[in-house]
Amino acid sequence: MSRVCELTGKGRQVGNNVSHANNRTKRVFLPNLQNVTLLSEKLDRSFKFRVSTQGLRSVEHNGGLDNWLLKTRDDKLSARALKVKRELKKAAAAAAA
């Protein structure tokens, strides 16, 4: 399983360890991923995602999973998140018709 947030697409970053003598060695910064269950109000279901803590804060700031998925571009979302987004759009179209 790759270390990538399923909702924001945030992944690893590469940088340097810098010693007191200014020696530089490569290192990897990994995102703080958590396994969370998020509730979709429109679908009345819960979904499990592997989300970075920053991504979780962003979801809460935007008013929940439904609003976040509808506002986010498809290229940032994982395949599972895209599937939920399609279900949301389908439910919205059924409710409007």
Side-chain angles (χ1 to χ4, degrees), residues 15-30:
N16 290 309
N17 278 332
V18 181
S19 70
H20 187 68
N22 211 28
N23 298 330
R24 294 166 190 266
T25 56
K26 284 288 188 181
R27 65 158 294 177
V28 175
F29 295 93
L30 296 175

Side-chain angles (χ1 to χ4, degrees), residues 1-56:
M1 187 181 298
S2 63
R3 302 280 301 182
V4 176
C5 176
E6 290 187 282
L7 296 181
T8 61
K10 185 176 196 161
R12 69 182 201 142
Q13 292 182 324
V14 178
N16 290 309
N17 278 332
V18 181
S19 70
H20 187 68
N22 211 28
N23 298 330
R24 294 166 190 266
T25 56
K26 284 288 188 181
R27 65 158 294 177
V28 175
F29 295 93
L30 296 175
N32 183 9
L33 296 180
Q34 306 293 324
N35 293 318
V36 295
T37 303
L38 298 171
L39 181 66
S40 170
E41 295 173 0
K42 293 179 183 172
L43 298 176
D44 199 30
R45 286 178 49 199
S46 60
F47 298 94
K48 289 188 177 185
F49 290 110
R50 195 155 188 235
V51 182
S52 65
T53 52
Q54 183 63 46
L56 191 57

